[in-house]
Amino acid sequence: KMSSILPDEAVFADFRRQCLSTDNWANKYDSSGMQVWVEVPAKNENRGRKIHKIKCKMVIKDVSAATMYDVLHDGQYRRNWDPTMEDSYDIARLSANADVGYYSWRCPKPLKNRDVLTLRSWKVTDDEYIIVNFSIKHPKYPPTRNFVRAVSLLTGYFIKATGPSSCIFIYLSQADPKGSIPKVVVNTATQLLAPRVMRCVHKAGQEYSAWKQENAPQHKPWLHPDQNTLPTMDPAELSIQRADSLEDVDAREEGQDIEDSP
């Protein structure tokens, strides 16, 4: 019998460990309560060919862990604060703490816009919140010509309460945008963009409570599974999307100046 595609306790425990560890991580940025870390490649790995694993840690002093967790889950609210989002929607529920969703985002010219199809799962304990996602294949949502299908190898959030209205917020990601962008350009850009994205999420957290009071304040299906109206789906219908097995769809249109980047 094949093991389920759904993350188990070991996946959440390992993700938490990676978020809190500094072993084999190099600090690339440290300013104003924000840190950016990049995983140090093993000695035998080709640094230029691999997509870095990156994590951002932010100390938040004015928003609770629970509120930041709600912000990450609330798809309707994301349309208010995510400046690059093209489209986003949930597709199906896999279990009480897992679903499948679609997300697409705008990229600067000459890049084509990207999209991603992910299995998202979450776990809540007394003072800690974890969300993890990774790319999957869904028979009804193949890559299209309008987007380059990106791949999340592992992306997620770890939030730990440090007080009633303060928390530590960590974002960890290893994702391949695919297409014609050289890996070294991806790795450099990711390090530069991460703090900006984190500040955007923090601002969203500051403004969430007021927004939610006006927008179905009791509706939080990520906390109350009985509110979830998504159709259910058997996880066995899905498979993990490996980066190297995904064919690029018309990535050649992305312009030769990218190929010539240093």
Side-chain angles (χ1 to χ4, degrees):
K1 183 179 185 300
M2 287 181 60
S3 60
S4 173
I5 195 174
L6 295 176
D8 57 14
E9 288 299 320
V11 171
F12 288 111
D14 185 62
F15 182 81
R16 180 183 187 276
R17 178 193 60 75
Q18 292 187 59
C19 285
L20 297 176
S21 172
T22 54
D23 294 340
N24 299 315
W25 290 86
N27 184 244
K28 298 291 188 178
Y29 179 94
D30 193 342
S31 177
S32 306
M34 180 104 62
Q35 297 176 342
V36 177
W37 300 77
V38 174
E39 188 179 41
V40 178
K43 287 186 172 62
N44 59 349
E45 285 180 341
N46 184 333
R47 292 167 181 260
R49 295 294 301 164
K50 185 183 179 185
I51 292 293
H52 285 171
K53 188 177 289 183
I54 185 172
K55 66 179 172 183
C56 267
K57 177 181 178 181
M58 179 167 50
V59 175
I60 295 179
K61 299 179 179 179
D62 58 355
V63 185
S64 71
T67 297
M68 293 304 298
Y69 180 69
D70 287 348
V71 167
L72 296 175
H73 269 291
D74 199 322
Q76 186 184 357
Y77 184 57
R78 184 161 193 167
R79 300 180 183 280
N80 288 43
W81 66 264
D82 186 343
T84 63
M85 186 178 83
E86 179 75 18
D87 196 9
S88 179
Y89 50 85
D90 298 328
I91 294 170
R93 174 173 38 160
L94 303 175
S95 70
N97 69 321
D99 60 19
V100 174
Y102 173 87
Y103 177 79
S104 59
W105 67 97
R106 295 182 291 275
C107 294
K109 301 294 185 188
L111 301 182
K112 290 190 72 172
N113 292 343
R114 260 57 179 174
D115 68 358
V116 68
L117 199 66
T118 57
L119 188 160
R120 178 179 62 169
S121 189
W122 53 93
K123 176 182 171 66
V124 178
T125 56
D126 290 341
D127 64 344
E128 294 182 355
Y129 302 79
I130 297 175
I131 302 174
V132 295
N133 79 54
F134 51 86
S135 284
I136 48 91
K137 298 177 188 177
H138 187 301
K140 295 181 180 176
Y141 295 86
T144 67
R145 295 179 66 88
N146 297 328
F147 295 90
V148 173
R149 178 64 51 91
V151 177
S152 167
L153 303 172
L154 176 69
T155 298
Y157 301 88
F158 173 79
I159 313 168
K160 186 175 180 67
T162 55
S165 60
S166 62
C167 62
I168 292 169
F169 183 94
I170 297 175
Y171 166 73
L172 184 149
S173 181
Q174 187 176 23
D176 188 344
K178 301 297 288 183
S180 59
I181 319 174
K183 300 290 188 285
V184 65
V185 176
V186 174
N187 293 333
T188 303
T190 304
Q191 292 177 39
L192 296 174
L193 289 172
R196 189 188 309 173
V197 174
M198 293 287 274
R199 282 188 279 268
C200 189
V201 178
H202 180 200
K203 186 173 186 291
Q206 293 170 323
E207 299 173 354
Y208 181 70
S209 295
W211 179 89
K212 189 61 175 171
Q213 282 299 316
E214 305 295 322
N215 294 271
Q218 304 306 317
H219 184 70
K220 295 184 179 182
W222 53 93
L223 296 179
H224 311 293
D226 56 303
Q227 296 178 348
N228 196 323
T229 56
L230 286 174
T232 56
M233 180 178 184
D234 184 351
E237 295 181 52
L238 305 169
S239 59
I240 294 176
Q241 175 69 71
R242 310 288 183 187
D244 55 3
S245 68
L246 185 65
E247 295 180 12
D248 294 331
V249 180
D250 280 355
R252 294 181 303 279
E253 296 177 12
E254 292 199 299
Q256 290 303 308
D257 50 340
I258 304 170
E259 300 283 1
D260 299 333
S261 299

